[in-house]
Amino acid sequence: MKTIIVPVDFSEQSEYALKVAASIAHKQKAEILVLHMLELNEAMITSTEGFHPEQTVFLIKVAEKRLNEFLDKDYLKGIKLTPVIKHFKVFGEVNEIAEKHNAELVIMGSHGTDGLKEIFIGSNAEKVVRFSEVPVLVVKNELPDFKIDDFVFACNFKSESLGAFQKARDFASKLGAKLHMVYINTPGDNFLSDNDAYEKINKYLEMAGAGQEVTIYNDYSVEKGVLNFSDKINADLIGIPTHGRKGLSHFFMGSIGEDIANHSKIPVMTFKI
């Protein structure tokens, strides 16, 4: 892992993401691209409507100063940092920067949930997930020593998720984590007998060319199953495939991806299908 992108807005949550990136960068000898997006519109960078380019330059200089101060942290010492400031808040640019610099990971801070209010949905983190072709790690809490021992990867074992599984397996290998692959079996039309479930899983693993232990976990919903299984094994990270630009409501089954991202107490990592 050579390059990590961390979008920051100077919030507490974006510093949580930066600390996780620093922890990974120290271990992987990786560079961190710190991305800040200014909320300027077209009118603000032209001479129309009484706003002049000189003022835009001033705002960019202010942002540069604030970003440099934000990055003056002891935990970032010894890490190669590259600040990047973009004029517009266009989340597709995160993916363009990832492609340009061959980045392998984006780390985002998110508020998660606050009572009944679902903050992750429609948030900046959700928008980055939607556009990013590379895996996105969503962090909601401060994790001083980001160490992944047990990594749960929830899968529906359809062929479309094979690429996501390979990336999850590679990520687990790089961090020295144990990958726990799980299939959530739910009541109703989606219920599979053990024989049918293992037949489906074996076909998938054969296509993947992987020898991987898989747990069949029974629960009332996929979301509850993923969260309960992760809690049961004391997991450090949950991985889920996503269709990306179709939005979080099109995760591997229904809208459970957004529910997991909102309600998980541990970091969640998305892998583009």
Side-chain angles (χ1 to χ4, degrees):
M1 195 175 302
K2 298 301 180 186
T3 308
I4 301 167
I5 295 176
V6 182
V8 301
D9 58 3
F10 309 121
S11 66
E12 192 175 44
Q13 285 70 30
S14 63
E15 184 159 13
Y16 294 161
L18 193 57
K19 286 182 178 179
V20 168
S23 179
I24 295 174
H26 277 300
K27 296 168 186 174
Q28 299 288 322
K29 309 296 185 213
E31 173 186 7
I32 299 177
L33 295 180
V34 184
L35 173 64
H36 178 62
M37 295 181 182
L38 291 174
E39 297 187 59
L40 304 181
N41 58 41
E42 193 66 38
M44 293 175 71
I45 62 172
T46 67
S47 58
T48 61
E49 299 185 22
F51 199 96
H52 300 284
E54 293 80 10
Q55 293 172 283
T56 303
V57 172
F58 172 75
L59 290 175
I60 292 172
K61 291 294 183 184
V62 170
E64 287 176 349
K65 183 176 183 294
R66 192 177 180 192
L67 185 55
N68 287 332
E69 291 172 350
F70 187 76
L71 297 179
D72 186 20
K73 304 289 195 305
D74 287 340
Y75 62 81
L76 294 172
K77 303 297 183 187
I79 298 173
K80 183 180 179 182
L81 294 174
T82 303
V84 179
I85 295 179
K86 291 291 184 178
H87 291 177
F88 306 125
K89 205 165 187 177
V90 180
F91 292 95
E93 286 191 302
V94 177
N95 193 58
E96 292 172 14
I97 293 168
E99 289 180 356
K100 180 179 177 180
H101 295 274
N102 294 316
E104 298 170 271
L105 178 65
V106 176
I107 304 180
M108 282 288 296
S110 173
H111 293 274
T113 58
D114 180 13
L116 295 177
K117 185 179 180 182
E118 306 290 307
I119 300 177
F120 182 84
I121 306 310
S123 70
N124 291 344
E126 190 267 347
K127 291 166 187 171
V128 170
V129 166
R130 183 177 297 178
F131 285 99
S132 181
E133 295 287 339
V134 300
V136 179
L137 176 60
V138 179
V139 178
K140 290 188 283 186
N141 304 299
E142 186 168 16
L143 302 166
D145 182 24
F146 183 72
K147 190 174 187 301
I148 302 300
D149 292 319
D150 295 283
F151 175 17
V152 169
F153 183 72
C155 188
N156 63 356
F157 294 90
K158 292 183 179 180
S159 59
E160 64 178 8
S161 67
L162 283 169
F165 164 56
Q166 297 288 4
K167 287 180 181 178
R169 192 167 61 157
D170 289 345
F171 184 77
S173 177
K174 287 176 182 176
L175 294 189
K178 180 177 180 181
L179 187 66
H180 299 264
M181 219 171 168
V182 63
Y183 176 78
I184 307 301
N185 206 16
T186 57
D189 295 338
N190 293 321
F191 178 80
L192 294 178
S193 68
D194 280 353
N195 285 339
D196 289 342
Y198 279 118
E199 183 179 352
K200 182 176 185 176
I201 290 166
N202 288 334
K203 285 181 180 178
Y204 182 91
L205 294 176
E206 186 177 340
M207 284 189 290
Q212 174 70 43
E213 183 178 344
V214 178
T215 300
I216 298 174
Y217 191 85
N218 300 312
D219 214 321
Y220 292 107
S221 71
V222 177
E223 178 207 345
K224 287 182 178 179
V226 172
L227 296 176
N228 288 336
F229 175 73
S230 300
D231 187 58
K232 179 181 178 181
I233 69 166
N234 198 27
D236 304 294
L237 177 66
I238 295 172
I240 44 180
T242 172
H243 285 96
R245 297 190 186 200
K246 296 178 183 178
L248 289 179
S249 61
H250 293 269
F251 267 113
F252 61 98
M253 291 180 72
S255 62
I256 65 156
E258 59 196 32
D259 294 329
I260 292 169
N262 268 314
H263 302 138
S264 174
K265 296 177 183 178
I266 61 175
V268 174
M269 193 167 182
T270 65
F271 298 87
K272 181 75 171 289
I273 291 178

